[in-house]
Amino acid sequence: MYFGGDYNPEQWPEQVWHDDVVRMREAGVNLVTVGVFSWALLEPREGCHEFGWLDRVLDLLDANGIGVDLATATASPPPWFSAAHPDSLPVDAGGHVLWPGSRQAYCPSSPSYRAAAVRLARALAERYRDHPALRMWHVGNEYGCHVARCYCDVSAAAFRDWLRDRYDLPRLNEAWGTRFWSQEYFSFEEVLPPRRTPAVPNPAQALDFFRFSSAELLACYLAELEVLREVSPGVPVTTNFMAGLHWDIDYWEWAPHVDVVSTDHYLRAHDPEAHIDLAFAADITRGLAGGAPWLLMEHSTGAVNWQPRNIPKTPGQMRRNSLAHVARGSDGALFFQWRASRAGAEKYHSALLPHAGVDSRVWREVCELGADLRRLEEVEGARVGADVAIVFDWQSVWAQEQPGHPSVDMTVRDELATWHRALWKLGVTVDFLPAHGDFSSYPLLLLPSLYVLGETDRAALDFYVEGGGTLVVGAYSGVVDENDAVWTGGYPGALRDLLGVRMEEFVPLGEGRTVTLSDGSTGGVWRELGRTTTAEVIASYTDDGFRLAGSGSEGSVIGGSGGGFPSGDVPPGGGHDPWARHLAGAPAITRNEHGSGAAWYVSTRLDDASLRRLLARIAAETGIATPAPGLELVRRSHPDGSTYLFAINHDDKKDVALAESGTDLLTTKDFPGTVPAGGIAVIRQRPEAG
Ligand code: GAL
């Protein structure tokens, strides 16, 4: 179980380093990430390396038994580099250069950046490959965090090469639908990144550019990886993802190239259900790791510095957050950063060792967390099991969040988070899979929002249901193919036969409006007008119940990541939706038997309570329990059957009883028992002998 965080000793005089290691030992820190932003110090002039200070840091850490996740230091080129290679600076869609003076000022396609990064990675690998403190390599940092896409001329040329590898000119024109708005290309040289345009840019061009940009960043990572593999074979390599937080990188493509799947997660301080968002990110990360353990590379002990209001974590919250990540598969908890900075843009960001020093609540909680993680050593390597999986991909996010869709309130991210939240509240652990994943071990598969669906993936879903699986599809899935071109003949084109429905029109709701279904459920945001072909209607739209939620002429916004729709009375003059009576009786929720399985369709966005009810019903039909336990319950198991039940009480006022038997590794208390308000138990449950 790793415990520690980003360590930036270069920000401090050397005598502080000695205090650092004493304190690290006191807290039980066993892994620190060193050098992430050290390029300028390691290579103060092109080709001149100064490793002496890093030698001393690594030796000191090693002498104190602290392992190092050593960065290749390529996340932020120093100012001298940008001055010498001005064409390496990134440019935004509007043509503005993003200048040095902050971090990550490089174009992912820049040959000079890539060459310099690879040189530095090689020099570090040659120097430290045999250092006893070295535990793993950390390439770059949060690729794409600030510059996910660059629109400069160098990128434009690289984009054209990327396109040439995939299309000839007629096929490019076909794939991008360039007959529309007179966009036909007669030479690759005419093709540009989707720079700022007078009107909505070509969405298929944008989708390909997003794919290209993710691939360009991956190429930066792979170039360094190749050097590390050559010079320092056998040492695991990672780069920290931002799963569930940033959506610009296709991590399904990246994950096979890291030895340790690691991710960063920062809590939304304003969100009372931020712990569910944490679970969402952690579950996605476990999906990227193929269900195996992964590593929480960064989170915070308290406040960050980049939200509008940076509210610190309440006492006990850091512990709950850390162990919630461990519950969902992380073999440790690391933080940004070890010692709070005195200077720079992040000086008000929390740290393991705060500005106040060791005489502080935060430090005491840090030491307690270190002790907790030591008590959980035997959990390391255990895997989380789930019977339900959510299928998603980044392409759908990119395509569906372009302008020009039926409703701005309908987004892939919200649908994913909403469905995941419903399952969290039902007490059901869920895995995440790509559309090309292996569904075979899951009795229940959910597709909250898979807007882009190609023929191969469509066929795999068909096969899954045919063979006895239960599939639940959310609205606006399977609507376009890989080129963002509509599957015609009735929505959702790729899935309509499997679902046994044929929808003719999307009829989004006005802002804040809701619709009542015949089974009493409430929907919002989205409706579809159509009919069933072979499906059974579970609930239909009714002609009443259109309301304005909240006050004002259009009410409050629903959608987003809120927790359901506030119901309100119809305000004077409001409430009438001219579409209501035309939709009355049309199918809203359907179920289609197909082969030996069933495929459900939900053509509106259900509010939280209605979605929970529906998923509980479907889970029951599939034999999956929905205990809705009042605690966050997640199990990790070893192949020998020993299981650890993590029981996290997010209510800081109420103790919650738990009927499960076993011993709590954190307190050594026996269960059945009570998980105290705001507390956690990790209950070891051994398999029955014989
Ligand atoms: C991460 C980043 C760290 C630090 C942290 C602050 O995105 O990797 O270097 O900036 O955010 O929350």
Side-chain angles (χ1 to χ4, degrees), residues 37 103 141-142 145 240 264 266 298 304 306 336 346 349:
F37 296 107
R103 67 174 173 185
N141 189 62
E142 290 187 339
C145 175
N240 44 343
D264 299 348
Y266 289 95
E298 291 181 21
V304 298
W306 41 263
F336 178 84
E346 295 183 323
H349 195 290

Side-chain angles (χ1 to χ4, degrees), residues 173-195:
N173 281 306
E174 173 68 26
W176 287 8
T178 56
R179 292 285 163 93
F180 184 78
W181 280 355
S182 183
Q183 292 172 9
E184 190 102 11
Y185 294 103
F186 296 96
S187 146
F188 270 102
E189 290 313 306
E190 297 161 7
V191 178
L192 291 170
R195 291 175 176 160

Side-chain angles (χ1 to χ4, degrees), residues 169-508:
L169 214 48
R171 293 230 304 277
L172 176 79
N173 281 306
E174 173 68 26
W176 287 8
T178 56
R179 292 285 163 93
F180 184 78
W181 280 355
S182 183
Q183 292 172 9
E184 190 102 11
Y185 294 103
F186 296 96
S187 146
F188 270 102
E189 290 313 306
E190 297 161 7
V191 178
L192 291 170
R195 291 175 176 160
R196 189 153 302 149
T197 42
V200 176
N202 181 321
Q205 177 184 0
L207 179 57
D208 263 347
F209 185 67
F210 285 26
R211 290 177 177 132
F212 155 81
S213 301
S214 175
E216 286 296 271
L217 285 165
L218 179 57
C220 292
Y221 166 79
L222 291 176
E224 292 191 38
L225 176 71
E226 193 184 327
V227 167
L228 296 172
R229 292 268 192 255
E230 176 202 325
V231 181
S232 174
V235 178
V237 181
T238 191
T239 182
N240 44 343
F241 295 162
M242 300 169 287
L245 280 184
H246 286 231
W247 293 83
D248 295 329
I249 290 197
D250 184 347
Y251 291 129
W252 292 131
E253 295 284 333
W254 284 58
H257 302 289
V258 297
D259 299 317
V260 177
V261 168
S262 69
T263 202
D264 299 348
H265 184 263
Y266 289 95
L267 213 63
R268 299 195 297 229
H270 62 278
D271 179 359
E273 293 192 329
H275 52 283
I276 306 181
D277 176 64
L278 180 160
F280 176 63
D283 290 340
I284 291 179
T285 310
R286 191 178 62 256
L288 295 168
W294 50 277
L295 184 59
L296 176 66
M297 186 60 81
E298 291 181 21
H299 71 151
S300 68
T301 58
V304 298
N305 65 299
W306 41 263
Q307 293 176 358
R309 286 159 206 87
N310 295 300
I311 301 159
K313 293 183 181 177
T314 52
Q317 197 178 8
M318 170 189 68
R319 178 177 189 251
R320 282 197 300 282
N321 291 168
S322 302
L323 298 189
H325 282 289
V326 175
R328 289 173 189 274
S330 178
D331 273 352
L334 305 178
F335 292 80
F336 178 84
Q337 63 177 330
W338 163 249
R339 190 184 273 275
S341 302
R342 288 189 62 217
E346 295 183 323
K347 57 184 172 296
Y348 297 118
H349 195 290
S350 60
L352 290 152
L353 191 50
H355 288 151
V358 290
D359 183 10
S360 62
R361 170 191 72 83
V362 169
W363 178 251
R364 285 186 286 277
E365 289 196 27
V366 162
C367 293
E368 284 160 20
L369 177 62
D372 280 338
L373 288 168
R374 284 197 295 281
R375 293 181 189 110
L376 298 183
E377 275 303 328
E378 64 181 83
V379 178
E380 192 181 334
R383 293 172 76 113
V384 176
D387 294 326
V388 183
I390 290 180
V391 176
F392 85 107
D393 68 27
W394 275 272
Q395 307 191 47
S396 288
V397 177
W398 301 338
Q400 201 252 292
E401 295 186 8
Q402 297 293 322
H405 286 266
S407 173
V408 293
D409 298 325
M410 188 67 162
T411 71
V412 175
R413 305 181 213 200
D414 287 343
E415 295 312 296
L416 292 173
T418 301
W419 287 46
H420 179 272
R421 184 170 60 235
L423 289 161
W424 190 99
K425 290 190 176 170
L426 289 170
V428 176
T429 306
V430 55
D431 283 345
F432 282 91
L433 294 178
H436 57 267
D438 177 4
F439 314 145
S440 56
S441 64
Y442 298 93
L444 179 57
L445 203 61
L446 310 179
L447 237 75
S449 188
L450 196 69
Y451 173 66
V452 177
L453 193 56
E455 173 51 29
T456 317
D457 296 338
R458 184 208 66 75
L461 291 167
D462 208 89
F463 182 76
Y464 166 79
V465 179
E466 181 95 39
T470 298
L471 176 73
V472 191
V473 177
Y476 213 35
S477 296
V479 172
V480 297
D481 65 14
E482 300 96 329
N483 296 321
D484 197 21
V486 173
W487 290 95
T488 54
Y491 307 122
L495 294 167
R496 72 176 173 252
D497 291 343
L498 176 57
L499 298 172
V501 299
R502 187 175 178 282
M503 298 302 186
E504 292 176 31
E505 293 181 64
F506 301 131
V507 191

Side-chain angles (χ1 to χ4, degrees), residues 37-54 73 76-85 116 119-120 123-124:
F37 296 107
S38 304
W39 189 337
L41 277 197
L42 292 170
E43 190 183 6
R45 285 179 312 286
E46 189 139 21
C48 296
H49 295 127
E50 287 188 7
F51 290 130
W53 69 271
L54 188 55
S76 251
W80 65 252
F81 176 84
S82 310
H85 305 279
R119 264 198 319 271
L120 183 56
L124 280 155

